[in-house]
Amino acid sequence: MNRKLLIIGIIVFVMSGLIGCTGSSVHIHFDSNSRQQQYAATMLQKTFNINPAGRASYEVAFAIDTALGEEAFSLSNESRMICITGGDERGLIYGAHSLAEDIRNGIPLEKVQSKNEKPRMALRAVKYDLPWDTYRHSEALSLHSETCKDTTYWEAFLDMMAENRLNSLSLWNLHPYPFLIKAKNFPEASPFTDEELTEWQALFRAIFRMAKDRAIDTYIIPFNIFTTREFSLAHQVGLHNLDHHHYVAGDTSEVTKRYIRESVTQMLDEYPDLTGMGLTLGEGMGGMTPHQREQWMRETIIEGMRLANRKSKLVHRIPFSSTTESLGKTTVEMEQLTRQAIEAEADLGFVEGPIWADLKYNWSHAHSTPTLIKVHGGELFDTYYSPVPEKYKVTWTARNEDFFCLRWGVPAFVRAHVKENLKPYIGGYFIGSETYIPAKDYFTKDMTGVDWKYAFERQWLFYKLWGRLLYDPDTNDEVFHAEFVRRYGKEGERLLEASSLAGQTPLLLASTFDCGWDFTLYSEGFLALNPRNRVTNPTGPKVEYISADRLINQMPLDSVHILSVRQYVDALLADRLSLVTKTTPVQVADQLEESCLQALELVRDIPVKGNTSLRYEVADIQIWSYLGLHYAEKIRGAIALHLYRTAGGENHKQTAVAYMEQSLAYWDKAVAISRPLYNDMPLTHLSEQNGKPWQENDHLRFHWEIVRSDVARDVEIARSATFSK
């Protein structure tokens, strides 16, 4: 059908709303039978000022033209008619949001530019760990419980996702089924009264309904193998894990298989707005081989999906280990087994393709380097993409266990990350955390006068960068700059550039300090897991400040491109620096210093008095900058310290002391700025300290001031250093 004829048909046959904008009244024409078009029209109505009187001077019409392609849209503005045409309902919503963005940025209707946009990554998903049966145990997670029970919160979060073109929400929970259903043949498994279950069901139905209205896919992703305490006691199975530790031996009893299988079927049948399921082969499956884990999934989740009265989509988390342990290693044989299993699932007929075959990018720390160094377990071989698959797409989980208090946004990094992965076998990304939930703001010391309510609203730039650049990595920085200006007027003109410069700090730390699973690095606090404590402290390892000694001895994550402190000193003493082609620690320190000093200069004269939200934006840039300067001086001090210990020379020792003192001074600057603004914060990384159960560590808190004594210890390490010939 000709596009103009399609528009005329809509104007004639569907309802219209009258709203006003910038002095002009506007009719919106949309299909009232479409939930997605109703949402788009309502969203536009909120953007404009309602003016029910007067003759319409502008027309906005919605249309669908599948020739544009999935999720694509075009926006034309001719003769006081704006036509938003979507390749599908989702694309139409994005077109409506694009118009709303222009209006919010002060562009008059008559000057809205025509445009055409289409997605580059098919999956743009949020990984969201629900707070009610969490992978880790910590007050930092459980404190979100009431916020996440509020549908107002989910409405705001889903609006943010739609605005940023994030098209999928994956909800993770160790054992989610009892929150959604009472298993027909296993009512004893429910921990809730009928009244309590009714409330849970109303919540999840609302989440799935609101997501579908916004054309956002939803996935329930359980960990395996877990059951409720009530089920375990009733059937005398899984008694070794009543408290739901994340990694224990697998319960493969027949009654557990049947319970899980029937729960999957019942959940899919009772929640038609739920898009699909996910499966992850690791937790609660200790002692099982990769083949046994795949077989268990086929007999439970996959079979449960088959028995449901509809098709659904599937996320298949690629297993972590070729052994019977979670922290084992990757092998070609395991990849071959997994590929065969995924392709067999795609042929079953009840799975709506493509299957998303998911891997962790640089393990749990994607905010390090755009270069893929490793996945969970080690090296990624080429089995999943050679030959290029037809029935599934590889997706990356870009975990962020590294920062969530301080605002962060570096467009060039996210853009490079996405462009690095624009390959025919890549389907997209999941972004999110397992140690943090973006719900309750437990960071801000005083919420008076701020323009946000929820934690995710503090990190608005993080979500906008990932969402918009996954949709189109060629999206211009002006989009993000304009949002700063919209929020803060002329005072926001320099904030994107300053954020981009200061935001190099956690990226360079994560690139220069090798890391793996969740607790191995918390860039925001310069904390990392110290496995050497297993020797010095028999009770177990500890997450602690990264000392000068650890920096000297730790290899970089990106060892392909970056030289470690120890390697640099060895090359220097051997007079081989001229042969070095990698980035040296000195160059890293110089880059940090240049970027952070420039960021501080950009925000130096921004007046924040009377604007609390702006004060936090500026403060976070300053804190990142001083942390970056701290790290630059620490690197220099570590080089001088290792030089002294290796080659002697009192000048090296005194240089090390001076650098460490300056490093501490910069840390104190970060403390001075953050102390009046930020609470002492619970931190999931601290929940497994010294081999103690999480309950004994739950009182532990993080703040940069709390860590100050450990930072100061580096000065004493330098002062007391000795030269050993």
Side-chain angles (χ1 to χ4, degrees):
M1 180 181 288
N2 181 285
R3 194 180 69 174
K4 289 186 178 179
L5 290 178
L6 183 59
I7 295 172
I8 292 171
I10 290 177
I11 292 174
V12 171
F13 291 110
V14 303
M15 64 182 292
S16 64
L18 182 64
I19 57 180
C21 172
T22 61
S24 301
S25 55
V26 181
H27 278 300
I28 300 180
H29 306 269
F30 61 95
D31 183 353
S32 61
N33 294 313
S34 165
R35 290 164 55 179
Q36 291 74 33
Q37 292 194 33
Q38 287 183 47
Y39 165 74
T42 301
M43 182 272 301
L44 280 178
Q45 289 168 355
K46 291 178 180 178
T47 303
F48 299 131
N49 296 316
I50 296 175
N51 179 17
R55 183 177 178 179
S57 57
Y58 242 97
E59 306 283 343
V60 176
F62 293 169
I64 300 294
D65 183 356
T66 56
L68 289 175
E70 294 181 358
E71 301 189 286
F73 71 88
S74 70
L75 190 152
S76 64
N77 187 3
E78 300 175 5
S79 303
R80 308 191 74 76
M81 162 70 78
I82 293 179
C83 181
I84 301 172
T85 305
D88 52 17
E89 304 276 26
R90 182 177 287 162
L92 191 149
I93 287 175
Y94 296 159
H97 270 293
S98 180
L99 174 60
E101 182 177 70
D102 286 347
I103 299 304
R104 288 197 304 270
N105 288 337
I107 300 175
L109 277 173
E110 61 272 15
K111 292 187 178 181
V112 169
Q113 296 294 308
S114 298
K115 64 188 75 172
N116 296 278
E117 297 188 26
K118 61 181 180 180
R120 302 288 294 278
M121 287 286 188
L123 181 75
R124 306 177 300 280
V126 171
K127 179 189 186 297
Y128 198 112
D129 274 32
L130 295 169
W132 304 303
D133 192 5
T134 50
Y135 176 77
R136 301 287 184 187
H137 298 282
S138 168
E139 186 183 348
L141 303 175
S142 60
L143 61 80
H144 299 284
S145 180
E146 291 307 311
T147 303
C148 288
K149 288 180 181 178
D150 186 352
T151 57
T152 304
Y153 164 75
W154 288 105
E155 182 178 17
F157 192 83
L158 290 163
D159 280 341
M160 176 277 295
M161 288 184 61
E163 178 184 332
N164 293 324
R165 304 179 195 175
L166 293 160
N167 65 8
S168 299
L169 174 65
S170 61
L171 300 174
W172 299 64
N173 185 284
L174 290 187
H175 187 58
Y177 313 110
F179 296 93
L180 293 103
I181 63 167
K182 176 174 282 189
K184 294 175 182 177
N185 293 317
F186 298 95
E188 71 279 4
S190 178
F192 304 118
T193 66
D194 289 346
E195 183 179 7
E196 289 170 335
L197 180 59
T198 297
E199 292 178 357
W200 284 114
Q201 290 175 322
L203 171 64
F204 280 99
R205 287 195 176 99
I207 294 172
F208 300 149
R209 182 185 66 252
M210 290 189 293
K212 191 165 186 176
D213 290 347
R214 292 155 178 78
I216 294 171
D217 288 346
T218 48
Y219 296 88
I220 288 290
I221 304 187
F223 293 83
N224 296 281
I225 305 169
F226 298 93
T227 59
T228 63
R229 173 183 287 266
E230 290 75 10
F231 178 89
S232 294
L233 293 174
H235 296 277
Q236 291 296 291
V237 293
L239 298 176
H240 60 291
N241 196 25
L242 295 178
D243 293 329
H244 282 191
H245 189 269
H246 57 273
Y247 192 72
V248 294
D251 167 23
T252 58
S253 61
E254 288 302 317
V255 68
T256 298
K257 287 182 182 178
R258 182 186 168 203
Y259 164 62
I260 298 295
R261 180 171 59 247
E262 292 183 7
S263 293
V264 169
T265 302
Q266 186 175 338
M267 181 182 68
L268 289 173
D269 284 341
E270 290 188 12
Y271 292 86
D273 285 342
L274 172 62
T275 306
M277 290 286 302
L279 53 87
T280 178
L281 299 91
E283 283 69 31
M285 303 185 95
M288 299 172 68
T289 67
H291 176 78
Q292 289 171 329
R293 293 174 185 175
E294 292 286 0
Q295 182 64 30
W296 195 89
M297 291 297 180
R298 284 196 294 272
E299 294 176 3
T300 55
I301 291 181
I302 301 301
E303 180 64 7
M305 293 173 68
R306 184 187 72 82
L307 294 171
N309 293 316
R310 65 181 178 98
K311 288 186 175 182
S312 51
K313 294 184 179 182
L314 177 64
V315 178
H316 188 122
R317 169 67 74 81
I318 288 173
F320 311 143
S321 173
S322 61
T323 72
T324 58
E325 299 295 324
S326 180
L327 294 177
K329 62 180 181 177
T330 58
T331 64
V332 172
E333 292 74 21
M334 184 189 71
E335 290 189 357
Q336 292 170 338
L337 171 68
T338 305
R339 177 163 184 163
Q340 291 169 4
I342 296 172
E343 290 180 329
E345 290 161 1
D347 288 334
L348 293 174
F350 53 85
V351 175
E352 183 182 343
I355 292 175
W356 307 119
D358 190 61
L359 290 151
K360 297 179 187 177
Y361 204 92
N362 287 339
W363 211 315
S364 295
H365 307 278
H367 295 85
S368 48
T369 168
T371 303
L372 179 65
I373 306 297
K374 57 185 171 183
V375 295
H376 189 140
E379 180 182 359
L380 178 67
F381 303 96
D382 67 356
T383 313
Y384 296 121
Y385 53 84
S386 181
V388 174
E390 297 179 359
K391 301 171 183 177
Y392 68 86
K393 293 284 188 181
V394 171
T395 63
W396 300 118
T397 290
R399 289 274 291 274
N400 180 26
E401 316 305 336
D402 301 349
F403 51 81
F404 20 80
C405 172
L406 299 178
R407 293 158 180 81
W408 177 90
V410 183
F413 172 80
V414 178
R415 186 177 290 110
H417 215 297
V418 176
K419 287 192 172 185
E420 176 74 14
N421 290 286
L422 288 175
K423 299 168 183 175
Y425 56 88
I426 300 295
Y429 282 66
F430 291 84
I431 59 168
S433 175
E434 221 146 77
T435 59
Y436 168 67
I437 297 172
K440 182 180 175 64
D441 179 358
Y442 57 96
F443 311 114
T444 306
K445 183 165 286 189
D446 184 359
M447 296 285 288
T448 305
V450 302
D451 61 3
W452 69 87
K453 180 178 181 181
Y454 303 116
F456 75 86
E457 294 169 322
R458 296 168 48 88
Q459 291 285 3
W460 64 268
L461 183 58
F462 176 90
Y463 291 103
K464 185 172 285 290
L465 286 177
W466 274 110
R468 294 297 291 272
L469 293 172
L470 280 169
Y471 184 85
D472 180 6
D474 291 325
T475 298
N476 194 283
D477 281 0
E478 179 57 32
V479 169
F480 314 113
H481 172 262
E483 182 64 20
F484 271 114
V485 175
R486 184 191 71 77
R487 289 168 177 260
Y488 304 114
K490 65 182 181 66
E491 312 304 347
E493 288 283 354
R494 290 169 282 170
L495 290 181
L496 179 64
E497 183 181 0
S499 172
S500 299
L501 291 164
Q504 298 294 326
T505 296
L507 304 178
L508 285 170
L509 173 60
S511 295
T512 54
F513 193 88
D514 190 24
C515 50
W517 55 285
D518 309 9
F519 297 169
T520 54
L521 185 66
Y522 175 53
S523 303
E524 191 168 62
F526 277 75
L527 305 181
L529 186 75
N530 190 350
R532 290 179 62 84
N533 280 350
R534 292 187 186 279
V535 177
T536 59
N537 182 359
T539 59
K542 181 180 179 182
V543 174
E544 61 186 19
Y545 174 73
I546 299 171
S547 68
D549 287 330
R550 291 193 64 196
L551 182 60
I552 291 169
N553 292 308
Q554 189 87 342
M555 287 293 292
L557 168 71
D558 191 2
S559 58
V560 174
H561 300 106
I562 300 174
L563 213 61
S564 72
V565 169
R566 182 177 291 276
Q567 289 172 326
Y568 174 79
V569 170
D570 289 346
L572 178 65
L573 293 176
D575 197 23
R576 289 187 286 105
L577 277 183
S578 61
L579 303 177
V580 170
T581 59
K582 298 180 182 181
T583 300
T584 69
V586 171
Q587 290 171 321
V588 172
D590 289 347
Q591 180 182 341
L592 277 166
E593 182 177 61
E594 181 181 358
S595 296
C596 293
L597 287 175
Q598 189 176 347
L600 288 171
E601 181 61 24
L602 284 168
V603 301
R604 182 169 59 87
D605 295 327
I606 294 179
V608 298
K609 188 175 182 180
N611 190 332
T612 307
S613 299
L614 177 60
R615 181 188 180 196
Y616 272 92
E617 292 274 11
V618 171
D620 285 3
I621 289 169
Q622 292 171 325
I623 295 169
W624 274 131
S625 297
Y626 283 121
L627 291 176
L629 291 170
H630 157 79
Y631 190 41
E633 297 296 271
K634 183 184 182 70
I635 290 171
R636 292 163 177 153
I639 292 170
L641 177 61
H642 192 53
L643 270 171
Y644 172 69
R645 287 172 171 170
T646 305
E650 187 64 21
N651 60 316
H652 292 315
K653 180 175 183 176
Q654 295 308 314
T655 299
V657 171
Y659 278 135
M660 293 304 181
E661 288 177 336
Q662 186 57 54
S663 180
L664 176 61
Y666 282 133
W667 189 274
D668 284 340
K669 291 272 192 179
V671 169
I673 296 168
S674 61
R675 184 72 276 177
L677 300 179
Y678 287 114
N679 295 314
D680 292 351
M681 299 165 273
L683 182 65
T684 310
H685 300 65
L686 303 177
S687 64
E688 297 181 16
Q689 297 286 74
N690 297 324
K692 296 179 181 178
W694 68 271
Q695 295 93 330
E696 293 186 35
N697 292 314
D698 222 26
H699 67 285
L700 298 176
R701 294 293 182 268
F702 169 78
H703 191 281
W704 295 272
E705 186 178 46
I706 295 174
V707 182
R708 201 258 181 199
S709 59
D710 295 324
V711 180
R713 194 169 297 122
D714 273 349
V715 179
E716 297 308 314
I717 289 174
R719 284 175 178 161
S720 60
T722 57
F723 167 54
S724 300
K725 292 184 180 180

